[in-house]
Amino acid sequence: TQLLEQSPQFLSIQEGENLTVYCNSSSVFSSLQWYRQEPGEGPVLLVTVVTGGEVKKLKRLTFQFGDARKDSSLHITAAQPGDTGLYLCAGPRPGTYKYIFGTGTRLKVLA
Amino acid sequence: NAGVTQTPKFRVLKTGQSMTLLCAQDMNHEYMYWYRQDPGMGLRLIHYSVGEGTTAKGEVPDGYNVSRLKKQNFLLGLESAAPSQTSVYFCASKKEAGTGAYFFGPGTRLTVL
């Protein structure tokens, strides 16, 4: 059973479109992180959210942590080809400091 | 400041062969990790270390061994490779437990025939 479910698995959109990807769990997380992984590279941290309801913005990316701290979303405005990659959410397994990763959303932005 | 480096970048093994993957970090991080990444499975933790001289099992430790003789290095060994170990292996480091970032290396693509 995957503790962190991400959806959609794959997303292919045109440049300039908006999109939202989701990270869901039935468990409460003390914090969640979002990473982006480009082909042939390791994941790179984008943001950490720690408070229920928290919203963080990183240029055209908006991250939200659910009020109940069981889910998070990533919204990209006016997507660009440079946003292409695998987006992973991660969080500490409840009650531990051991992080688990979701299976990811693979995004392709077409020029 | 190179961050986290991994060697080799690619490797092909035959079933039963052994090899060691090397991870090095220059950020003076206490925590180091080995993950494998497989399609549809996400990143799964193999082994980790919370400091020099310590190691612990992760989710999928069978068939792998690790050592952390120096703080900056974390080695992953495969004693007798199997086709099921074909994967991309990532090393990561972290300054401390908590909400800090994982810093990942560029990965090693291993194929076991």
Side-chain angles (χ1 to χ4, degrees), chain B residues 39-89:
Chain B
M41 302 290 287
L43 283 159
R44 291 182 293 168
L45 182 63
I46 305 171
H47 285 282
Y48 65 99
S49 169
V50 300
E52 181 179 313
T54 75
T55 63
K57 294 180 179 179
E59 302 171 64
V60 289
D62 294 343
Y64 305 95
N65 56 75
V66 288
S67 65
R68 185 130 179 241
L69 299 178
K70 293 183 178 180
K71 187 176 185 179
Q72 63 267 35
N73 296 335
F74 196 28
L75 279 62
L76 178 71
L78 285 73
E79 289 186 346
S80 179
S84 60
Q85 294 177 304
T86 293
S87 187
V88 182
Y89 291 85

Side-chain angles (χ1 to χ4, degrees), chain A residues 33 35 37 42-43 45 98-99, chain B residues 37 48 90 94 98-100 102:
Chain A
Q33 297 179 331
Y35 290 79
Q37 183 179 12
L45 179 69
K98 294 180 186 177
Y99 273 62
Chain B
Q37 186 174 42
Y48 65 99
F90 287 98
K94 198 173 184 186
T99 59
Y102 282 81

Side-chain angles (χ1 to χ4, degrees), chain A residues 49-61:
Chain A
V49 286
V50 296
T51 305
E54 181 177 5
V55 176
K56 281 192 173 179
K57 292 194 175 183
L58 188 66
K59 297 182 181 178
R60 294 175 294 99
L61 279 60

Side-chain angles (χ1 to χ4, degrees), chain A residues 70-91:
Chain A
K70 290 184 177 182
D71 55 84
S72 181
S73 63
L74 158 58
H75 181 80
I76 301 179
T77 302
Q80 298 178 359
D83 296 325
T84 292
L86 178 67
Y87 289 82
L88 296 162
C89 64

